Amino acid sequence: MRNPRSRLYITTGIVCFIGIIWLLLDYYASANITLCPVKLVTGYPCPSCGTTRSISALFNGQLKDAFMINPLGIVSSIIIMAVLLLMLLDLVTKRDYYYKVYNQVEKFLQQHKAFSAILVILVILNWAWNISKGL
């Protein structure tokens, strides 16, 4: 069994790799395909619907469009870039900055339940906004 640090790095690496592949496929695909299980089953968008299009707009320099499509795209982009940079730094320096930052964030969220609740409320508001936009 691998230690928690190794599992974190492997899991994060796999998730980032799949996310990057998904973005590349979406960028080069000509058809709009909906793979969101929530939207396919209910007809309503999930809180993250539009995130891929938002990230694509952001990378094309369309900050306002990225925000209007789904603000989670901007947040996701920042988190993904920070995680990848920390993991690259760890690889180059043979340190564990990402592991330490991850543990600090997890500890902060556990200790500050009100902050965690605010994040949940923001996601719910984003979901309501997605539904109201007819995303």
Side-chain angles (χ1 to χ4, degrees), residues 78-134:
I78 292 168
I79 292 171
I80 290 168
M81 288 188 296
V83 165
L84 290 175
L85 286 174
L86 282 172
M87 288 179 69
L88 182 61
L89 182 64
D90 287 354
L91 184 65
V92 170
T93 64
K94 306 288 189 239
R95 303 277 175 102
D96 58 352
Y97 297 114
Y98 172 57
Y99 184 69
K100 289 176 183 174
V101 168
Y102 178 87
N103 284 331
Q104 288 173 350
V105 169
E106 185 177 37
K107 187 176 181 180
F108 176 84
L109 291 174
Q110 289 173 351
Q111 291 174 346
H112 299 88
K113 302 289 186 197
F115 186 78
S116 298
I118 290 170
L119 292 176
V120 170
I121 290 168
L122 288 173
V123 169
I124 291 169
L125 289 172
N126 187 67
W127 193 0
W129 189 40
N130 278 351
I131 291 170
S132 72
K133 291 186 305 185

Side-chain angles (χ1 to χ4, degrees), residues 13-61:
I14 290 169
V15 169
C16 286
F17 179 76
I18 291 170
I20 290 168
I21 296 298
W22 179 259
L23 287 170
L24 289 172
L25 288 173
D26 183 69
Y27 183 76
Y28 290 108
S30 58
N32 289 329
I33 301 169
T34 299
L35 296 177
C36 174
V38 173
K39 191 168 185 174
L40 288 172
V41 171
T42 67
Y44 293 104
C46 73
S48 67
C49 277
T51 300
T52 304
R53 284 178 282 140
S54 175
I55 292 172
S56 184
L58 181 65
F59 287 155
N60 285 318

